[in-house]
Structure formats: C-alpha cells, structure tokens
Amino acid sequence: MNKESLIKARELLISVLSNSEINDIDKLELMLNINKFLQENEYEENIKVLVKKNR
C-alpha cells in the first residue's frame, strides 16, 4: 500500500471514530491501535505479523 493512502486512511478512520458514539475508552483504544498499525514505516511488518498469526 502506498504511503499517501495509509496516511489518508489513518486520518479518515480516526476522524470517523472520534465523531462516533462508541464508549470513549474503547474509542481511544481503537484510535491508538489504528494509528500504530497504519504507520507508513511499520505497515509492511504489521501485515506480516498478522498473516503469520492467522496461519
């Protein structure tokens, strides 16, 4: 996935979550996890870990 798409997707997801009616603590946890997972310099490794975990 290209860097610009990751940045836009991360911003969009966090924005939608921040405006949702989900419990604030759950919302924060989701936003932190999405932010970490979609970091452009870590994304490829994060995907590899998920694929390995789901085998």
Side-chain angles (χ1 to χ4, degrees):
M1 182 174 262
N2 81 36
K3 178 181 175 179
E4 291 78 24
S5 294
L6 282 170
I7 293 168
K8 287 178 184 176
R10 186 176 65 230
E11 290 172 354
L12 178 62
L13 289 167
I14 289 173
S15 175
V16 169
L17 277 170
S18 70
N19 295 316
S20 71
E21 294 185 20
I22 297 172
N23 172 284
D24 286 342
I25 300 298
D26 294 340
K27 185 186 322 187
L28 177 60
E29 183 177 348
L30 282 166
M31 291 189 308
L32 288 170
N33 288 335
I34 288 168
N35 187 53
K36 176 71 173 165
F37 184 81
L38 294 180
Q39 285 296 319
E40 58 275 6
N41 59 335
E42 297 179 20
Y43 180 75
E44 292 298 324
E45 186 62 28
N46 293 339
I47 291 296
K48 290 176 188 176
V49 170
L50 280 178
V51 168
K52 185 176 180 180
K53 176 77 173 158
N54 289 322
R55 286 187 183 170

